[in-house]
Amino acid sequence: MSTDARPTTTPIPTPTAPAPDILRCAYMELVVTDLAASRAFYVDLLGLIVTEEDENAIYLRTMEEFIHHNLVLRQGPVAAVAAFSYRVRTPEDVDRAEAWYQELGCRTERRTDGFVKGIGDSVRVEDPLGFPYEFFFEVEHVERLAWRYDLYGAGALVRLDHFNQVTPDVPRACRYMEDLGFRITEDISDSDGVEYAAWMRRKPTVHDTAMTGGNGPRMHHVAFATHEKHNIIYICDKMGALRMSDRIERGPGRHGVSNAFYLYILDPDGHRVEIYTQDYYTGDPDNPVVRWDVHDNQRRDWWGNPVVPSWYTEASLVLDLDGNAKPVVDREDPSEMDVTIGADGFSYTRAGDEGGSYHGEAAKGFKLGNQL
Amino acid sequence: MSTDARPTTTPIPTPTAPAPDILRCAYMELVVTDLAASRAFYVDLLGLIVTEEDENAIYLRTMEEFIHHNLVLRQGPVAAVAAFSYRVRTPEDVDRAEAWYQELGCRTERRTDGFVKGIGDSVRVEDPLGFPYEFFFEVEHVERLAWRYDLYGAGALVRLDHFNQVTPDVPRACRYMEDLGFRITEDISDSDGVEYAAWMRRKPTVHDTAMTGGNGPRMHHVAFATHEKHNIIYICDKMGALRMSDRIERGPGRHGVSNAFYLYILDPDGHRVEIYTQDYYTGDPDNPVVRWDVHDNQRRDWWGNPVVPSWYTEASLVLDLDGNAKPVVDREDPSEMDVTIGADGFSYTRAGDEGGSYHGEAAKGFKLGNQL
Amino acid sequence: MSTDARPTTTPIPTPTAPAPDILRCAYMELVVTDLAASRAFYVDLLGLIVTEEDENAIYLRTMEEFIHHNLVLRQGPVAAVAAFSYRVRTPEDVDRAEAWYQELGCRTERRTDGFVKGIGDSVRVEDPLGFPYEFFFEVEHVERLAWRYDLYGAGALVRLDHFNQVTPDVPRACRYMEDLGFRITEDISDSDGVEYAAWMRRKPTVHDTAMTGGNGPRMHHVAFATHEKHNIIYICDKMGALRMSDRIERGPGRHGVSNAFYLYILDPDGHRVEIYTQDYYTGDPDNPVVRWDVHDNQRRDWWGNPVVPSWYTEASLVLDLDGNAKPVVDREDPSEMDVTIGADGFSYTRAGDEGGSYHGEAAKGFKLGNQL
Amino acid sequence: MSTDARPTTTPIPTPTAPAPDILRCAYMELVVTDLAASRAFYVDLLGLIVTEEDENAIYLRTMEEFIHHNLVLRQGPVAAVAAFSYRVRTPEDVDRAEAWYQELGCRTERRTDGFVKGIGDSVRVEDPLGFPYEFFFEVEHVERLAWRYDLYGAGALVRLDHFNQVTPDVPRACRYMEDLGFRITEDISDSDGVEYAAWMRRKPTVHDTAMTGGNGPRMHHVAFATHEKHNIIYICDKMGALRMSDRIERGPGRHGVSNAFYLYILDPDGHRVEIYTQDYYTGDPDNPVVRWDVHDNQRRDWWGNPVVPSWYTEASLVLDLDGNAKPVVDREDPSEMDVTIGADGFSYTRAGDEGGSYHGEAAKGFKLGNQL
């Protein structure tokens, strides 16, 4: 199989068993410490649709979804992620997932009635990177509300778009994910061969998940899509009106990577949610991989607006199959924050721009304005 | 006459002569040091329409304008503002402006053929705050291109919206501007009675000009309007594509003051240009003045995103009627930057929010993320 | 005084008394036959804000309004308009309005406590064209909800924009309205000098009201503004979701006249409501009047989409000061519908386009497609 | 294999050979009679990017495309479609396509150097419905211009979205397309089992092509996607400014089927082009098929705006592999136009709505306004 992953010296073995045929990221199960506060955030603020709920859990979906949910909020003692869940093409692909991870020596757990409401036969695994992954096919169908404009708010979320995971060794993660059938679409690296992040997909968008280099395993964010950019701006406006602007962490802005318009906000537990719109089709097997220089100051924000440090450093814990938080392992490679911001790092607006520029700015054109 | 200005201990006398009836801010004359570079910025990047040009000057207008120009770029040795120009209701209002300023002891210069192309009988004055103000009625009509969608770019500028001036003593400036017939619509102050900025209008929008407290007289920015928010986002996207993102100084964002969507960018000389859309009607005489607390972290950006220091400190020189730069006088009152950012300042997201908050954040909820 | 009105052979005398200084169209009082059904339309569907209500009347305002209301719905036996109400600059302008109409011999009624809640000293008149006009200054201030994005729906109405009146003799109406202080901004006529419609303003937009040639006095529509075009599209989408698409009468589309984006919908009584956004500034005294040829097929819809006949023929009755419906007088001049649609009329896409065209279409390029 | 197609009494046999693995609709080859006029339409008006051109042909692509072209304009004597071209997953899938159609007895032609520039090894077939289909894998990569906002116009086309074909027997076409690997996503039928149209996809959008019941084989339209709805509105505005509004055939509007926002315009030869945005994800194998009643007046336009008759009756000829126009065979089933518009047809806004309605309208609520 061809690979677009960077070389790794610590590869996870490729199973001989066939990988499951994964359709798409389908839902995340989030443990939250105050279910009412989280309901206010995801339902009242963001307008996700409640498929069903009880005193311990709320099942939420987007406007265009026809499966039972895209997000489960479950009351628990420690804020964390209980599952990154993918839908597979057939019931047999659940068997394949189970066998594939068992060959890797991973702990797996199969439940024919599912781990959460609305989902049938599923397998959960502790994957080689330490993440709780789930695979299922059987799911309860619910009404696709795409035409129910009477239910749309001005910032309506229409699809689950992707997950984003923090892991110390990005090339290692990429090779494993390629074995699992994912394709890399974009990445960030430097001229020394250090890889800082990579995006990978099953459905033909820029990603179903991304691997962000850092201390992990942790969950960086979960992303929902809107139809248009003004929907995202409205969410900001509404958060201002509710005097929740301190929960807007970064953005809105235009990503370099993915070319999408984005916003990052923080839920009551600090789980990061991205609102995202308008990336591009990636479904051809020879889809060109877009490779960004870590020092390109437009890679993370096309307009050069600074990435706040918390965005690099903060992330959510993930749980093992017993519900305990996985220990976090430090990244050994250089951190993207260190090599791009502040005393040790540098960035440029124009490659090769040194000792003066078109605009009479200092060499390298790094926009320092937003920092004290 | 009723006043909405804060008390001032250093008032400029109110003339006995009647004030001119000012319609609106009409154009700015900018001195630029590299006319070709400025043309690339205002015509190629921003898409302003060239009404006419020669080797020394370019006359530009917006898509919905029917007078000769909204901006004059004139080649000169020092980047500065040569005129803030207002249109008055009748030819006689030019006489009134001249008499009004002469009663104040200001230097005035009358040219029946105008100071620039396209404009007829005009008076220019060095106003009591040190700004070069112009008043005219006679003007050459040109085609209003509002219906010429074949000429619209994706970020089309449709109107000149306002000026913004930096002056040390805001209450003094406000009383003078009220005497000139302006109405205050919004301001920023603190509980000690210090005023940091005020917005004032003739046409029924939030402003034709604003007075920003700081070392002055200087020009803070000139603002053009788009129809919709996506037009402003496109300008950012285009600046990214042209690798000019380091000329995006602040934004895009939603203002608290004015409720408009905004972007600040810098031209090749560092003249600041705002792109602005969707404030509200203010034309009733009892239009409520909106007064913001300087510590309200949503006053300048409704989403709480930080104001970059350069936005507070940098501004353009202005010229006297001989074309020499006016000396800059320091502000004596506290600066908005000092009282809101960093070690000496504070801001809050929720008034009265102390020692803990809804979101479990630190007291006062100031969003520090964007600072190193 | 200069005039932009077409010549009239049946002028209404110009009073010697000074005209009141009118600020803007402020509210319409609508009589509706089923208050609950109307509430569902204006509040549940369109999202207007209820300032107050009782069993007989509902007072509604837009998001950016600070006066008590922009629309009064009053239960009554016959669907009609009880008042077109304008705000004037000072309390004395109410006196001026009363005197001005009395000099014209019109019936007037003064109520120092107002005709409806929230409004103080007012005068209502039966104007020379037969319309119930009201003028007031005193009004209760309410919260301007411009910043309350938590209350905005996806199709939020932010301002009352204008009225539109049907009257048989447009030039006569125009001269009278000019005497009252209005300025004409655009009109539709033909080469024989017949005038079909004219737009006129006090605030510096394209209109506060328009005179549409037809059997009258009747009310053609009342218009509310949104911020952006997608807000209008959303209203259509929501009406589709509610299976109310048969209440979408015309549009959405782009007007030729005014250059605004528009939609016409019908309330439960058949009162026509326009949703409107993005016309242009008209506040200069020499603002160019835009004159459209009635045969220009882009005058009413810039995209050449057909005007439905009901839009030409249907309109709401208006009441006299006793609450009785005013008799409707037929228009004697040609009707716009007759001269542009069907067997007797013609329209062109390109002026002078005859006997073939660039696109190989029939002469005159009239788009007949939408008609059986 | 499961089927979502309606029963057919005239099935095309299912080949025993495996079907090719089709990725997506990739490009259309259009024969035009005036290449310069077509260039003005597709390049100057619509802003498609010229990959290359010579005196006989122009190769065009969208902003987000990385393969050589999405549209070929070729000068020829008769306006027609020379190829509906699909990209397949591997080079071997071209072999599979060839074998699959040969087993069906279809004429095929293989060219290892491709039929047009930029494309390598390809097979063209005259398919069982009479359409010229092409399959290829090898293609020249070109720059994906997604980030080149300096090249985006206000109405930028970012992707080829789908084809639409006219064929007399829709159920027969559906079964054949299912054999070829397509999945049905939506259809229009009546209670008698007559099928009027069906949408089918390979990539996970609502369609790569649709089968519209009518006299065929003919090409109904080719569709390009924009990012947002305002991009489509801009195209209308620009056509108005260029006095080409008579080339706007239908829309803009919201489809019921697909839930997308749409516009239909006509090129200089009458080839119909759709501009389309914002349908939904369909990639799951159990994606619910949406079935519309032909009498539902919101199926074609969610706002109930009428479908112009030309949209039902007009379509482009298609060519056989010798370049001769295929004869057109009449549809025998009832036509959608006949059963829904005019004397013989009926439509409803609300199912079951008879003898009066919520709005006091006539039975069935059909919006007749737009018809004379």
Side-chain angles (χ1 to χ4, degrees):
Chain A
M1 194 194 87
S2 72
T3 178
D4 294 308
R6 305 280 177 182
T8 175
T9 56
T10 55
I12 295 160
T14 301
T16 57
D21 186 350
I22 298 170
L23 292 167
R24 54 163 171 145
C25 61
Y27 81 89
M28 182 175 282
E29 182 180 357
L30 271 183
V31 179
V32 299
T33 61
D34 180 342
L35 193 59
S38 294
R39 194 185 196 284
F41 186 86
Y42 290 100
V43 178
D44 300 339
L45 173 62
L46 294 181
L48 287 171
I49 300 293
V50 179
T51 299
E52 66 176 296
E53 61 185 322
D54 57 33
E55 59 191 7
N56 295 314
I58 306 174
Y59 296 80
L60 299 168
R61 72 183 192 275
T62 53
M63 300 305 296
E64 295 181 356
E65 186 56 81
F66 75 95
I67 65 171
H68 187 265
H69 58 258
N70 300 122
L71 184 68
V72 180
L73 304 175
R74 184 160 58 79
Q75 175 78 42
V78 177
V81 175
F84 300 77
S85 182
Y86 294 92
R87 192 162 194 223
V88 294
R89 187 170 300 278
T90 67
E92 295 70 34
D93 285 301
V94 181
D95 302 331
R96 285 188 197 100
E98 187 176 26
W100 197 84
Y101 280 101
Q102 286 177 344
E103 184 177 345
L104 281 173
C106 293
R107 178 174 170 192
T108 67
E109 182 176 348
R110 183 76 173 260
R111 291 197 193 169
T112 52
D113 293 338
F115 292 79
V116 297
K117 290 185 183 177
I119 309 287
D121 182 26
S122 318
V123 65
R124 285 192 175 183
V125 308
E126 290 178 26
D127 89 350
L129 307 177
F131 291 96
Y133 262 35
E134 179 182 90
F135 303 89
F136 73 92
F137 172 76
E138 291 180 8
V139 66
E140 189 177 324
H141 285 209
V142 290
E143 184 187 356
R144 175 174 261 157
L145 299 169
W147 289 264
R148 290 293 305 276
Y149 290 101
D150 51 320
L151 302 180
Y152 278 64
L157 305 182
V158 297
R159 284 184 297 277
L160 174 71
D161 194 85
H162 63 263
F163 307 139
N164 189 303
Q165 307 170 236
V166 186
T167 193
D169 185 337
V170 176
R172 182 170 182 263
C174 286
R175 280 306 305 267
Y176 147 63
M177 292 297 282
E178 284 191 334
D179 287 342
L180 190 56
F182 285 76
R183 303 283 312 186
I184 293 169
T185 56
E186 307 202 23
D187 77 354
I188 294 174
S189 63
D190 66 20
S191 55
D192 297 331
V194 177
E195 186 160 48
Y196 296 90
W199 286 256
M200 53 205 68
R201 65 100 188 165
R202 287 291 307 174
K203 67 176 157 49
T205 62
V206 170
H207 50 326
D208 286 280
T209 193
M211 295 292 169
T212 297
N215 307 339
R218 292 186 298 165
M219 186 276 286
H220 194 272
H221 63 262
V222 56
F224 297 95
T226 64
H227 277 146
E228 301 201 335
K229 295 182 286 289
H230 62 80
N231 301 117
I232 293 180
I233 291 168
Y234 172 76
I235 292 171
C236 297
D237 289 338
K238 186 174 178 181
M239 291 180 77
L242 295 171
R243 289 285 163 176
M244 293 173 65
S245 64
D246 51 345
R247 307 307 287 172
I248 298 175
E249 185 192 35
R250 180 185 157 206
R254 169 77 66 190
H255 282 308
V257 174
S258 82
N259 203 28
F261 192 76
Y262 73 87
L263 170 72
Y264 294 98
I265 57 179
L266 301 174
D267 88 357
D269 284 295
H271 294 308
R272 185 181 289 109
V273 175
E274 183 178 14
I275 320 293
Y276 179 96
T277 193
Q278 293 161 21
D279 59 3
Y280 58 90
Y281 169 81
T282 62
D284 285 15
D286 53 349
N287 178 68
V289 178
V290 180
R291 301 196 183 271
W292 297 81
D293 181 351
V294 74
H295 298 296
D296 181 345
N297 196 42
Q298 295 186 185
R299 75 197 181 289
R300 290 281 186 188
D301 185 278
W302 186 242
W303 312 333
N305 283 332
V307 178
V308 297
S310 65
W311 191 90
Y312 283 123
T313 59
E314 303 304 309
S316 296
L317 295 173
V318 302
L319 301 183
D320 65 21
L321 296 189
D322 295 319
N324 298 316
K326 292 287 288 190
V328 173
V329 177
D330 283 358
R331 174 172 167 90
E332 297 180 2
D333 279 333
S335 88
E336 183 171 341
M337 185 171 77
D338 290 343
V339 302
T340 57
I341 305 181
D344 300 324
F346 75 92
S347 296
Y348 57 81
T349 300
R350 289 164 292 281
D353 213 5
E354 275 190 277
S357 78
Y358 165 65
H359 297 293
E361 290 279 295
K364 296 294 181 191
F366 181 41
K367 186 158 67 170
L368 283 156
N370 279 27
Q371 297 153 8
L372 288 183
Chain B
M1 193 195 87
S2 72
T3 178
D4 294 309
R6 305 279 176 182
T8 175
T9 56
T10 55
I12 295 159
T14 301
T16 57
D21 186 350
I22 297 170
L23 292 168
R24 55 164 171 146
C25 62
Y27 80 90
M28 183 176 280
E29 182 180 356
L30 271 183
V31 179
V32 299
T33 61
D34 180 343
L35 194 59
S38 294
R39 194 186 196 285
F41 185 86
Y42 289 100
V43 178
D44 300 340
L45 172 63
L46 294 181
L48 287 171
I49 300 292
V50 178
T51 299
E52 66 177 297
E53 61 185 321
D54 59 32
E55 59 190 7
N56 294 315
I58 306 175
Y59 295 79
L60 299 167
R61 73 182 191 275
T62 52
M63 299 306 295
E64 295 181 356
E65 187 55 81
F66 74 96
I67 66 170
H68 187 265
H69 57 258
N70 301 122
L71 184 68
V72 180
L73 304 175
R74 184 159 59 78
Q75 175 78 39
V78 176
V81 175
F84 300 78
S85 183
Y86 294 91
R87 193 162 193 223
V88 294
R89 186 170 300 277
T90 67
E92 294 72 33
D93 284 302
V94 181
D95 302 332
R96 285 187 197 103
E98 187 175 26
W100 197 84
Y101 280 101
Q102 286 178 343
E103 184 177 344
L104 281 173
C106 294
R107 179 175 170 190
T108 67
E109 182 176 348
R110 182 76 172 259
R111 291 196 193 169
T112 54
D113 292 339
F115 292 79
V116 297
K117 290 186 182 174
I119 309 288
D121 182 27
S122 319
V123 64
R124 287 193 174 182
V125 309
E126 293 178 22
D127 88 352
L129 307 176
F131 291 96
Y133 262 34
E134 180 184 88
F135 303 89
F136 73 93
F137 171 75
E138 291 180 8
V139 66
E140 189 178 322
H141 286 209
V142 291
E143 184 187 356
R144 174 175 262 156
L145 299 169
W147 289 263
R148 290 292 305 277
Y149 289 101
D150 52 319
L151 302 180
Y152 278 64
L157 305 182
V158 297
R159 285 184 296 278
L160 174 72
D161 193 85
H162 62 263
F163 307 139
N164 189 304
Q165 306 170 238
V166 186
T167 192
D169 185 337
V170 176
R172 183 171 182 260
C174 286
R175 281 306 304 265
Y176 147 62
M177 292 296 282
E178 284 190 333
D179 286 342
L180 189 57
F182 284 76
R183 301 286 309 189
I184 294 170
T185 56
E186 306 201 21
D187 77 354
I188 294 175
S189 64
D190 65 21
S191 55
D192 296 331
V194 178
E195 187 162 47
Y196 296 89
W199 286 256
M200 54 205 68
R201 65 99 190 167
R202 288 291 307 173
K203 65 175 159 47
T205 63
V206 170
H207 51 328
D208 286 280
T209 194
M211 294 294 169
T212 298
N215 307 338
R218 292 186 299 166
M219 186 277 284
H220 193 272
H221 63 263
V222 57
F224 297 95
T226 64
H227 277 146
E228 302 202 333
K229 295 182 286 290
H230 62 79
N231 301 117
I232 293 180
I233 292 168
Y234 172 76
I235 292 171
C236 297
D237 288 338
K238 186 174 178 182
M239 292 180 77
L242 296 171
R243 289 283 162 179
M244 293 173 65
S245 64
D246 52 345
R247 307 307 286 171
I248 298 175
E249 185 192 35
R250 180 184 157 207
R254 168 77 64 190
H255 282 308
V257 174
S258 83
N259 202 28
F261 193 76
Y262 73 88
L263 171 73
Y264 294 98
I265 57 178
L266 301 174
D267 88 356
D269 284 295
H271 294 308
R272 184 180 292 110
V273 176
E274 183 177 13
I275 319 294
Y276 180 95
T277 194
Q278 293 162 19
D279 59 3
Y280 57 91
Y281 169 81
T282 62
D284 285 15
D286 53 349
N287 179 69
V289 178
V290 180
R291 302 194 183 273
W292 297 81
D293 180 351
V294 73
H295 298 296
D296 180 345
N297 197 42
Q298 295 186 186
R299 76 199 180 288
R300 291 282 186 188
D301 185 278
W302 187 243
W303 311 334
N305 282 332
V307 178
V308 298
S310 65
W311 191 91
Y312 283 123
T313 59
E314 303 304 309
S316 296
L317 295 173
V318 301
L319 302 182
D320 66 20
L321 297 189
D322 295 318
N324 298 317
K326 292 288 288 190
V328 173
V329 177
D330 283 358
R331 173 173 169 89
E332 298 180 0
D333 279 333
S335 89
E336 184 173 339
M337 185 171 78
D338 290 344
V339 302
T340 56
I341 305 181
D344 301 325
F346 75 92
S347 296
Y348 57 80
T349 300
R350 289 165 292 281
D353 214 5
E354 273 189 277
S357 78
Y358 165 64
H359 297 295
E361 290 280 293
K364 295 294 179 192
F366 181 40
K367 187 158 67 172
L368 282 157
N370 280 26
Q371 298 152 7
L372 287 182
Chain C
M1 194 195 85
S2 73
T3 178
D4 294 309
R6 305 279 176 182
T8 174
T9 56
T10 56
I12 295 159
T14 302
T16 57
D21 186 350
I22 297 169
L23 292 167
R24 55 164 171 144
C25 63
Y27 80 89
M28 183 176 280
E29 182 179 356
L30 271 183
V31 179
V32 300
T33 61
D34 181 343
L35 193 59
S38 294
R39 194 185 196 285
F41 186 85
Y42 289 100
V43 178
D44 300 339
L45 172 63
L46 294 181
L48 286 171
I49 300 292
V50 179
T51 298
E52 65 177 297
E53 62 186 322
D54 58 32
E55 58 191 6
N56 295 314
I58 306 174
Y59 295 80
L60 299 167
R61 72 182 192 275
T62 52
M63 300 305 296
E64 295 182 354
E65 187 55 81
F66 74 97
I67 66 170
H68 186 266
H69 57 257
N70 299 122
L71 185 68
V72 180
L73 305 176
R74 185 160 58 78
Q75 175 78 42
V78 177
V81 175
F84 300 77
S85 183
Y86 295 91
R87 193 163 191 221
V88 294
R89 187 171 300 278
T90 66
E92 295 71 34
D93 284 302
V94 180
D95 302 332
R96 285 188 197 101
E98 187 176 25
W100 197 84
Y101 279 100
Q102 286 177 345
E103 185 176 345
L104 281 173
C106 293
R107 178 176 170 191
T108 67
E109 182 176 347
R110 183 76 172 260
R111 291 197 194 169
T112 53
D113 292 337
F115 292 79
V116 297
K117 290 185 183 177
I119 309 286
D121 182 26
S122 318
V123 66
R124 287 194 173 180
V125 309
E126 291 177 25
D127 89 350
L129 307 176
F131 291 97
Y133 262 35
E134 179 184 88
F135 303 89
F136 73 92
F137 172 76
E138 291 179 9
V139 66
E140 188 178 326
H141 286 209
V142 290
E143 184 186 357
R144 175 175 261 157
L145 299 169
W147 289 265
R148 290 292 305 277
Y149 289 101
D150 51 320
L151 302 180
Y152 278 64
L157 305 182
V158 296
R159 284 185 297 278
L160 175 71
D161 194 84
H162 63 263
F163 307 139
N164 189 303
Q165 307 170 237
V166 186
T167 192
D169 186 336
V170 177
R172 182 169 181 261
C174 287
R175 280 307 304 267
Y176 148 62
M177 292 298 282
E178 284 191 331
D179 287 341
L180 189 56
F182 285 75
R183 302 283 312 187
I184 294 169
T185 57
E186 306 201 22
D187 77 353
I188 295 175
S189 64
D190 67 19
S191 56
D192 296 332
V194 177
E195 186 161 48
Y196 296 90
W199 286 256
M200 54 204 68
R201 65 100 188 166
R202 287 292 306 175
K203 66 176 159 48
T205 63
V206 170
H207 51 327
D208 286 281
T209 194
M211 295 293 168
T212 298
N215 307 339
R218 291 186 299 164
M219 187 275 286
H220 194 272
H221 64 263
V222 57
F224 297 95
T226 64
H227 277 147
E228 302 201 333
K229 296 182 286 290
H230 63 79
N231 301 118
I232 294 181
I233 291 168
Y234 172 76
I235 293 171
C236 298
D237 289 337
K238 186 174 178 181
M239 291 180 77
L242 295 171
R243 289 284 163 175
M244 293 173 64
S245 64
D246 51 345
R247 306 308 285 173
I248 298 174
E249 186 192 35
R250 181 184 157 206
R254 169 78 64 190
H255 282 308
V257 174
S258 83
N259 203 28
F261 192 76
Y262 73 87
L263 170 72
Y264 295 98
I265 57 180
L266 301 174
D267 88 356
D269 284 295
H271 295 308
R272 185 182 289 111
V273 175
E274 182 178 13
I275 320 293
Y276 180 97
T277 193
Q278 293 162 22
D279 60 4
Y280 57 90
Y281 169 81
T282 61
D284 285 14
D286 53 348
N287 179 68
V289 178
V290 180
R291 301 195 183 273
W292 297 81
D293 180 351
V294 73
H295 298 296
D296 180 346
N297 197 41
Q298 296 185 185
R299 75 199 181 289
R300 290 281 185 188
D301 184 279
W302 187 244
W303 311 334
N305 282 332
V307 178
V308 297
S310 66
W311 190 91
Y312 283 123
T313 59
E314 302 305 308
S316 296
L317 295 173
V318 302
L319 302 183
D320 65 21
L321 297 189
D322 296 318
N324 297 317
K326 293 286 289 190
V328 173
V329 177
D330 283 357
R331 174 173 167 90
E332 296 180 3
D333 280 333
S335 89
E336 184 171 340
M337 184 171 79
D338 290 343
V339 302
T340 58
I341 305 181
D344 300 324
F346 75 93
S347 297
Y348 57 81
T349 300
R350 289 164 292 280
D353 214 6
E354 274 190 277
S357 78
Y358 164 64
H359 298 292
E361 290 279 295
K364 296 293 180 190
F366 181 41
K367 186 158 67 172
L368 283 158
N370 280 26
Q371 297 154 6
L372 287 184
Chain D
M1 193 194 85
S2 72
T3 177
D4 295 308
R6 304 281 176 181
T8 175
T9 56
T10 56
I12 295 159
T14 301
T16 58
D21 186 349
I22 297 169
L23 292 168
R24 56 164 170 142
C25 62
Y27 81 89
M28 182 176 281
E29 182 180 356
L30 271 183
V31 179
V32 300
T33 61
D34 180 343
L35 193 59
S38 293
R39 194 185 197 286
F41 186 86
Y42 289 101
V43 178
D44 300 340
L45 172 63
L46 294 181
L48 287 171
I49 300 292
V50 178
T51 299
E52 66 177 298
E53 62 185 320
D54 59 32
E55 59 191 6
N56 294 315
I58 306 175
Y59 295 80
L60 299 167
R61 72 181 193 276
T62 52
M63 300 306 295
E64 295 182 355
E65 187 55 82
F66 75 97
I67 67 171
H68 187 265
H69 57 257
N70 300 122
L71 185 67
V72 180
L73 304 175
R74 184 159 58 78
Q75 175 76 42
V78 176
V81 174
F84 300 77
S85 183
Y86 294 91
R87 193 163 192 222
V88 294
R89 187 171 298 278
T90 67
E92 295 70 34
D93 284 302
V94 181
D95 302 332
R96 285 186 198 103
E98 188 175 26
W100 197 84
Y101 279 101
Q102 286 177 343
E103 183 176 345
L104 280 173
C106 293
R107 178 175 171 190
T108 66
E109 182 176 349
R110 182 77 172 258
R111 290 196 193 169
T112 54
D113 293 337
F115 293 79
V116 298
K117 291 185 182 177
I119 309 286
D121 182 26
S122 318
V123 65
R124 286 193 174 182
V125 308
E126 292 177 23
D127 89 350
L129 308 176
F131 291 97
Y133 263 34
E134 179 183 88
F135 303 89
F136 73 93
F137 171 76
E138 291 180 8
V139 65
E140 188 179 325
H141 285 209
V142 291
E143 183 187 357
R144 175 174 260 157
L145 299 170
W147 289 264
R148 290 294 304 277
Y149 290 101
D150 51 319
L151 302 180
Y152 277 65
L157 305 182
V158 297
R159 287 186 294 278
L160 175 72
D161 193 85
H162 62 264
F163 307 139
N164 188 305
Q165 306 170 238
V166 187
T167 192
D169 185 338
V170 176
R172 181 170 183 261
C174 286
R175 280 307 305 265
Y176 147 64
M177 292 297 282
E178 284 191 332
D179 286 342
L180 190 56
F182 285 75
R183 301 285 310 188
I184 293 169
T185 57
E186 306 202 20
D187 77 353
I188 294 175
S189 63
D190 65 20
S191 55
D192 296 333
V194 177
E195 187 161 48
Y196 296 89
W199 286 257
M200 54 205 68
R201 64 100 189 167
R202 286 292 306 175
K203 66 175 159 49
T205 63
V206 169
H207 51 327
D208 286 279
T209 193
M211 295 293 169
T212 297
N215 306 338
R218 292 185 299 164
M219 186 275 286
H220 193 272
H221 63 264
V222 57
F224 297 95
T226 64
H227 278 146
E228 301 201 334
K229 295 182 287 288
H230 63 79
N231 301 117
I232 292 180
I233 291 168
Y234 172 75
I235 292 171
C236 297
D237 288 337
K238 186 174 178 181
M239 292 181 77
L242 296 172
R243 289 284 162 177
M244 294 172 65
S245 63
D246 51 344
R247 306 307 286 171
I248 298 175
E249 187 193 34
R250 181 184 157 207
R254 168 77 64 190
H255 282 308
V257 174
S258 82
N259 203 28
F261 192 77
Y262 73 88
L263 171 72
Y264 294 97
I265 57 179
L266 301 174
D267 89 356
D269 284 295
H271 295 308
R272 185 181 290 111
V273 175
E274 183 178 13
I275 320 293
Y276 180 96
T277 194
Q278 293 161 22
D279 59 4
Y280 57 91
Y281 169 81
T282 61
D284 285 16
D286 53 348
N287 178 68
V289 178
V290 180
R291 301 195 183 273
W292 298 80
D293 179 352
V294 73
H295 298 296
D296 180 346
N297 198 40
Q298 296 186 184
R299 75 200 182 287
R300 291 281 186 188
D301 184 278
W302 186 245
W303 312 333
N305 282 332
V307 178
V308 298
S310 65
W311 191 91
Y312 283 123
T313 59
E314 302 304 309
S316 296
L317 295 174
V318 302
L319 302 182
D320 65 21
L321 297 189
D322 295 318
N324 299 316
K326 292 287 287 189
V328 172
V329 177
D330 283 358
R331 173 173 169 89
E332 297 180 1
D333 279 333
S335 89
E336 183 172 340
M337 184 171 78
D338 290 343
V339 302
T340 57
I341 304 181
D344 300 325
F346 74 93
S347 297
Y348 57 81
T349 300
R350 288 164 294 280
D353 215 4
E354 272 190 278
S357 78
Y358 165 64
H359 297 294
E361 290 280 293
K364 295 294 179 191
F366 182 40
K367 186 158 67 173
L368 283 156
N370 279 26
Q371 297 153 7
L372 286 182

